[in-house]
Amino acid sequence: MIDIFQINPGLWMILAGLICALVPKGDTFALVRKVFIIGAPIFAGVMITQIYTSQEVLAGQITIGGLELTTLRIDNLSMVWGYLFCLIAVINGIYGFHEKCRITDSSALIYAGAAIAGVFSGDLLTLFLFWELTAISSVFLIWKGGKRAYAAGIRYLALHVLSGVLLLAGAIFYAHSNGGDYSFNAIGTDTLGGWLILFAIGIKCGFPFLHMWMQDAYPKASITGTVILSAFTTKMAIYALARGYVGVDILIYIGAIMTCFPVFFALIENDLRRVLAFSLNNQLGFMVCGIGIGTELALNGVVGQVFVHVIFKSLLFMSIGAVMYRVGTAKASELGGLFRSMPITAVFCLIGAGSIAAFPLLAAFVTKAMIISAVIYEAAYNPGLYVIAAMLLFASAGVMEHSGIKVPYFTFFSHDSGRRVKEAPWNMLVAMGLAALLCIVLAFPWGGYQILYSLMPYEPNYQPYTVDHVVFQLQLLFAAISAFCVLKKFKLYPAEKRGEILDFDWTYRKLGLGIMQWIGAMWTRLSVQTKRLRERAIESAGRRLFQVFSPAGAMSESAPSGLAAVLTAAMLIIVLIFVYFIR
């Protein structure tokens, strides 16, 4: 008899997604799918609660081809991601309640289930399976964005399948150097397999030069699809880093770069969903840097930042998605003045903006400073880390500029675009309201942030609401606000213009395409020349054979005239004898 408490909770959501794919179309059946899409993550969350105790749980062992796979491992690290993914899956289900798309419903459940199953994987091969399933299931959410999304989805799928291939190759090399052990624990960079796995994670995590898929695919996905996509893939990658690469120094520098470079792109970007995609990359940098630092304070900060980031980033994507649902665009140059038509959405967007900017009493205020403080503490032993701390502070001010100010300002305020629309649908407002409430509750000074801190893997010895921290953070934020006001006053702030901002993806979308076209042209020319040479060779050989074997050729001149007849008669006799004896 199967013990349901040894089944990976993510598998229940994958099963629910497959059932949704089989449910017929129609309004009544659409309601059935919505029951699954909201109920399945609740059930998975209950199963996590029932399975997990204060001790690590290893279960679901399966032996395949002599390899023992551990399909379920829940401990104080993976448990946080499991609860978070279940929570945000419920909110996403409410947000998309108005949609009646069977593909979106089933893909969203399978995608979220694969992410949960991935973080609960106890070995690298099981992780690979769900790693690839997240890519395959999520690409349909991009393709639902329309014709423009098809090519972006293909590029997205190609990169993520490549990530999976690298993960599998790295797992094989790592196990070979580790006595055949595929357990998913600390990996490090001492082996070739460790480097391959790190590169695979880097693709999903958006390392510099590997990040372009986010800004390419997320803004082109469907409205609901973008919200769903923002929650799972990159956070699953952060979990893999936190599980396998704690204290790896190179991550400190990679993370610091990740926090800074998106700031410049986001400031000049016109598509607000793309602005939020750059902002997502910026926030991931803080987490990567914290994992590289590797101290208890840093890892607590990473876990807390992941938890609140999924919530406030989803809130920002939901608010812009609601605007896009009513207005039909997310271009800053075409928006403005919508606070008159969508005041509730505007308030929720401001709460999300304040949360990502780490305003006191809002979500990131109680988590992001833990990572920066951990860097500063370690700088006492390694002075070079003061540069990293300065980069993180710059990035904190930068996120205030592009996500804390730009997104709500150009959407709901700024110039009046003259658009008068309805407020967002009730289900979108409920989902945004839940996310906004969590942004406030999880940062509340009296008992609120302690709920968040209780989920952290180590004992949190950190007090966010000190006078020094509050004053310093307010100074940083108001400096960023003042800079924005001055730049706008003197018309120095980058104007919102229609256009495409080129990123590193230019290397394969433009330069790479040009190189391939050149290679194709050269191959065509070479084929033409080769064809001509081949035709000449055949023609020359034909002339030579004609000269030798034709009636007027050399063979006829040098052989007796009756030789051909004699040879033919001899061959006929041999055939007749052979047939006679084998009859």
Side-chain angles (χ1 to χ4, degrees), residues 177-364:
S177 63
N178 199 35
D181 186 8
Y182 283 91
S183 296
F184 184 24
N185 295 306
I187 298 172
T189 54
D190 297 330
T191 64
L192 173 61
W195 280 105
L196 288 174
I197 295 171
L198 180 61
F199 193 69
I201 296 172
I203 292 176
K204 281 191 181 289
C205 203
F207 282 4
F209 307 122
L210 303 175
H211 66 282
M212 307 79 61
W213 59 268
M214 274 185 275
Q215 291 77 32
D216 181 26
Y218 284 9
K220 296 184 178 69
S222 66
I223 293 173
T224 304
T226 301
V227 177
I228 298 168
L229 287 166
S230 69
F232 298 104
T233 295
T234 52
K235 311 315 174 300
M236 182 182 178
I238 291 294
Y239 168 80
L241 279 182
R243 174 67 68 183
Y245 293 90
V246 170
V248 175
D249 289 343
I250 193 173
L251 295 179
I252 300 173
Y253 308 100
I254 291 175
I257 294 170
M258 287 173 65
T259 63
C260 291
F261 79 83
V263 172
F264 303 99
F265 286 98
L267 286 175
I268 60 176
E269 178 59 54
N270 186 42
D271 187 330
L272 294 179
R273 292 204 296 177
R274 204 158 189 246
V275 171
L276 292 176
F278 279 116
S279 174
L280 172 58
N281 205 234
N282 159 276
Q283 295 294 292
L284 292 170
F286 284 93
M287 305 168 199
V288 172
C289 188
I291 293 169
I293 293 295
T295 62
E296 291 186 1
L297 177 62
L299 292 176
N300 279 343
V302 169
V303 171
Q305 183 68 9
V306 167
F307 202 97
V308 297
H309 172 264
V310 168
I311 296 169
F312 62 63
K313 180 60 69 174
S314 295
L315 175 56
L316 287 168
F317 272 116
M318 284 191 285
S319 60
I320 297 303
V323 169
M324 192 173 178
Y325 180 78
R326 288 305 192 196
V327 179
T329 183
K331 304 291 186 182
S333 57
E334 301 175 22
L335 299 174
L338 288 177
F339 75 94
R340 297 179 176 86
S341 300
M342 306 178 72
I344 303 176
T345 303
V347 171
F348 290 148
C349 184
L350 288 172
I351 293 174
S355 297
I356 195 173
F359 258 99
L361 304 179
L362 293 175

